[in-house]
């Protein structure tokens, strides 16, 4: 199932997204090296992948043999240089901080083979800027998976200013081979996904702040009226309100247009530590 010339993939960061990316790559028949800072994090990541594969077995989507073969294709590594030494493709999924991505990409550039494609799963940082910290900007690209990775079909494939056609074609082809639907977009703040989604979420928060309706009512209007599977406030809670605020700040700063200004109520919730599902409380209450 794997793409012609990509056999070995290194995934940098074994958190929410990294373990999902390792899961789908290994399930697609690729050899995966999952890299993170500590052995404990990596052990938890592999346990998560195992649990998610077990769920697929229970739903009869894969066999037990598929699960075992998938797990056998994943190895873990805390030494980043060793982890990427054999990689044809590296997918980075470390936290969303521009200076961290720049440091990681300079290091990947130094240690990954010269032919390797370096991809980032960033939701909002410029691919062009990330590419500038390497000596191979033509081989740097965005591979923006959606959460949860094994379930969601979309891969937003982002071309930086210097990304070449061959790199783009190989990433598109690989994404299809993994059973995903890749969509090619250019590198502008928020790409397409967050450029369109975040203003809608922000507007829902303004509507709440102005007392237009209660959270449940706002979400129900968008679910039943617009056929969205989830209301915008519930979706914001799922994504994390801090993440939403970060992405809106990027859109506001980089596009320089006040229509992207984050709603003061969103800032207030984040300041209070009401971050959505992960903290038990956001626009909705998740305690119990
Ligand atoms: P996370 O915080 O769950 O995981 C990040 C992992 O990176 C952690 O396990 C951490 O130990 C590891 N890490 C930190 N510094 C590292 C380093 N120098 N080398 C190796 N590993 C390192 O973060 P999450 O949510 O998985 O996000 C990762 C990226 O994916 C971010 O760029 C984020 O914007 C993007 N993203 C997140 C989505 C989500 O729903 N969480 C959706 C789409 C993209």
């Amino acid at each position: 199932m794997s793409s012609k010339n990509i056999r070995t993939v290194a995934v940098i960061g074994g958190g929410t997204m990294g373990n999902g990316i390792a899961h789908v790559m290994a399930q697609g028949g690729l050899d995966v090296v999952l890299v993170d800072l500590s052995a404990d994090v990596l052990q938890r990541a592999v346990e998560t992948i195992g649990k998610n594969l077990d769920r697929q077995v229970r739903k009869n989507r894969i066999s037990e043999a598929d699960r075992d073969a998938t797990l056998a294709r994943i190895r873990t590594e805390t030494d980043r240089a060793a982890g990427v030494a054999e990689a044809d493709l590296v997918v980075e999924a470390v936290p969303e901080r521009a200076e961290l991505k720049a440091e990681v990409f300079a290091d990947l550039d130094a240690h990954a083979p010269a032919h390797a494609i370096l991809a980032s799963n960033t939701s909002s940082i410029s691919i062009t800027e990330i590419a500038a910290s390497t000596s191979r900007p033509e081989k740097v690209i965005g591979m923006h998976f959606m959460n949860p990775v094994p379930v969601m079909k979309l891969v937003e494939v982002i071309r930086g200013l210097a990304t070449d056609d061959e790199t783009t074609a190989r990433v598109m082809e690989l994404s299809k081979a993994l059973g995903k639907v890749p969509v090619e977009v250019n590198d502008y703040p928020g790409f397409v996904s967050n450029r369109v989604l975040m203003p809608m979420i922000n507007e829902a928060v303004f509507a709440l702040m102005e007392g237009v309706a209660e959270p449940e009512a706002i979400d129900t209007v968008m679910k039943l009226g617009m056929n969205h599977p989830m209301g915008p406030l519930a979706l914001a809670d799922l994504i994390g309100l801090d993440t939403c605020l970060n992405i809106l700040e990027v859109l506001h700063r980089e596009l320089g247009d006040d229509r992207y200004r984050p709603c003061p109520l969103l800032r207030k919730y984040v300041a209070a530590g009401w971050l959505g599902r992960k903290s038990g409380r956001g626009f909705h209450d998740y305690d119990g």
Side-chain angles (χ1 to χ4, degrees):
M1 222 220 289
S2 58
S3 176
K4 234 182 351 232
N5 31 26
I6 297 176
R7 295 247 158 264
T8 301
V9 180
V11 179
I12 314 300
T16 310
M17 296 303 287
N19 78 59
I21 295 166
H23 175 148
V24 299
M25 296 283 181
Q27 202 161 8
L30 299 164
D31 289 324
V32 175
V33 187
L34 182 58
V35 179
D36 207 302
L37 299 173
S38 78
D40 283 355
V41 175
L42 286 167
Q43 195 189 330
R44 278 201 301 277
V46 171
E47 281 166 13
T48 302
I49 296 170
K51 279 188 205 141
N52 291 336
L53 285 165
D54 284 342
R55 189 172 314 126
Q56 289 177 300
V57 171
R58 281 200 301 276
K59 291 184 175 171
N60 288 322
R61 301 232 166 92
I62 60 169
S63 68
E64 289 190 12
D66 291 337
R67 176 198 58 202
D68 296 345
T70 298
L71 280 173
R73 280 192 285 270
I74 301 174
R75 99 180 155 78
T76 60
E77 182 60 79
T78 51
D79 178 345
R80 198 161 58 201
V84 303
E86 308 286 320
D88 304 309
L89 166 70
V90 182
V91 184
E92 166 276 316
V94 304
E96 187 77 342
R97 294 202 311 273
E99 69 292 348
L100 175 62
K101 305 263 187 204
E103 180 228 303
V104 168
F105 270 78
D107 189 60
L108 296 177
D109 188 36
H111 294 105
H115 73 272
I117 293 174
L118 307 181
S120 176
N121 186 54
T122 179
S123 343
S124 64
I125 297 168
S126 161
I127 298 300
T128 305
E129 184 185 322
I130 290 173
S133 58
T134 76
S135 64
R136 58 178 104 181
E138 72 287 353
K139 291 195 173 65
V140 176
I141 193 163
M143 251 186 127
H144 185 203
F145 289 86
M146 306 290 127
N147 184 14
V149 182
V151 176
M152 299 290 280
K153 285 276 177 207
L154 179 69
V155 183
E156 195 177 29
V157 175
I158 304 123
R159 289 187 76 130
L161 193 57
T163 311
D164 66 18
D165 291 342
E166 191 199 333
T167 300
T168 308
R170 290 174 72 197
V171 166
M172 296 288 288
E173 186 195 340
L174 174 69
S175 304
K176 286 181 204 158
L178 297 172
K180 301 295 185 195
V181 179
V183 176
E184 187 183 323
V185 310
N186 288 317
D187 183 26
Y188 280 95
F191 318 130
V192 170
S193 49
N194 285 315
R195 172 87 174 253
V196 176
L197 173 64
M198 287 302 159
M200 182 187 70
I201 286 176
N202 202 36
E203 203 56 38
V205 186
F206 271 110
L208 177 65
M209 184 177 79
E210 291 165 12
V212 180
E214 293 297 314
E216 202 56 54
I218 292 170
D219 279 349
T220 303
V221 167
M222 296 306 288
K223 271 196 314 199
L224 301 187
M226 318 305 156
N227 223 7
H228 291 192
M230 225 177 180
L233 298 174
L235 181 55
D237 282 349
L238 179 68
I239 294 169
L241 303 192
D242 49 343
T243 304
C244 294
L245 179 58
N246 277 335
I247 297 172
L248 280 161
E249 304 264 32
V250 169
L251 291 173
H252 191 207
R253 187 175 65 239
E254 307 282 323
L255 293 164
D257 189 329
D258 276 347
R259 81 175 118 149
Y260 302 106
R261 75 216 178 286
C263 177
L265 186 65
L266 180 63
R267 289 190 191 284
K268 196 189 271 194
Y269 273 54
V270 172
W274 297 2
L275 304 181
R277 284 192 192 208
K278 62 186 168 189
S279 70
R281 175 162 197 180
F283 296 113
H284 301 278
D285 202 339
Y286 300 91
D287 278 343

